[in-house]
Amino acid sequence: MFQTLVEFQRTIYLALGEQIKLLAAGGNWLAFVAFLPMGVVFGAAHALTPGHSKAVLATYLAGSDAKVSRGLLVSITLSFTHVTIAVLIAALSLPLVSIALGSVGRAPLLEHISRGLLGLIGVWMLWRALSHSHHHRHEGEAVGVMAGLIPCPLTLFAMTFAISRGVPAAGVLFAITMMVGVAVTLSCVAVLSILFRERLVQFFARQPR
């Protein structure tokens, strides 16, 4: 399953590369815009692979009293931050990208940063559970932002390639469609986590005391 997703992403990424090359050579923007829906599929498939703070999102929502609407807001916040951070890094600090990215499909520096951030979030969630602290109004959005601070490596690749070809706008447009796809997958995770929690609560409520 994982290898299939990787190959599927690779196929779309190579097609994106060809589209950007054609655009840079004076191609038609309409043709590129027609290709953009593939970005949604690309983002959704990419979010199914390990990472993207799905465990953090599911754990937070399963342990909170958030409703579906709040869960969707958290997942959208996470997706927006995750992709936007990558776009900003590529646009404002291209040398940093060359240091952060290793072989194709990997980002060693970002992976280390990712582990550190997820560790901090885990410690915070554990402290909150042990101290029985109250949920703050914008706590969910804060979790989404913190978890989304890990940049998306594939967005960095797409943005870097588009910038190197002189068509950064193409990279931004594709990143936006990718963000929609990531949000779709993470929203499904959010809804399933909340429904699981509600069913579990109902199950225990029906048990004889």
Side-chain angles (χ1 to χ4, degrees):
M1 176 66 176
F2 173 72
Q3 191 58 38
T4 301
L5 285 173
V6 170
E7 289 300 322
F8 181 66
Q9 291 176 83
R10 184 174 182 274
T11 300
I12 297 178
Y13 183 76
L14 291 176
L16 170 65
E18 291 302 317
Q19 290 291 328
I20 289 177
K21 287 178 183 177
L22 290 173
L23 194 60
N28 194 326
W29 271 96
L30 287 178
F32 182 78
V33 170
F35 176 78
L36 285 179
M38 291 305 297
V40 179
V41 180
F42 186 62
H46 180 54
L48 286 173
T49 58
H52 304 91
S53 303
K54 291 187 291 292
V56 173
L57 177 65
T59 302
Y60 169 73
L61 293 175
S64 71
D65 57 357
K67 301 300 182 183
V68 170
S69 58
R70 174 65 62 179
L72 292 175
L73 180 59
V74 175
S75 61
I76 291 171
T77 301
L78 196 163
S79 305
F80 176 81
T81 308
H82 180 60
V83 173
T84 301
I85 287 293
V87 171
L88 291 176
I89 290 175
L92 302 178
S93 187
L94 199 55
L96 177 61
V97 175
S98 63
I99 295 172
L101 299 180
S103 57
V104 176
R106 293 191 67 248
L109 178 59
L110 296 180
E111 289 168 8
H112 293 316
I113 294 174
S114 166
R115 294 188 188 99
L117 287 173
L118 290 179
L120 289 175
I121 294 172
V123 170
W124 171 75
M125 292 177 71
L126 180 61
W127 172 83
R128 191 196 63 173
L130 293 176
S131 63
H132 303 289
S133 60
H134 297 290
H135 297 276
H136 298 290
R137 183 178 179 183
H138 299 292
E139 181 182 85
E141 293 92 317
V143 170
V145 170
M146 286 192 294
L149 285 175
I150 304 159
C152 175
L154 287 184
T155 302
L156 279 170
F157 278 116
M159 280 296 302
T160 303
F161 187 72
I163 291 172
S164 69
R165 291 286 174 166
V167 284
V172 172
L173 288 175
F174 192 77
I176 292 172
T177 59
M178 264 193 73
M179 180 174 63
V180 173
V182 171
V184 168
T185 297
L186 294 185
S187 293
C188 290
V189 172
V191 172
L192 289 174
S193 300
I194 292 170
L195 292 178
F196 172 77
R197 183 199 69 217
E198 291 178 346
R199 293 295 174 86
L200 197 61
V201 170
Q202 291 172 4
F203 171 78
F204 283 112
R206 289 195 298 266
Q207 300 306 305
R209 298 181 182 279

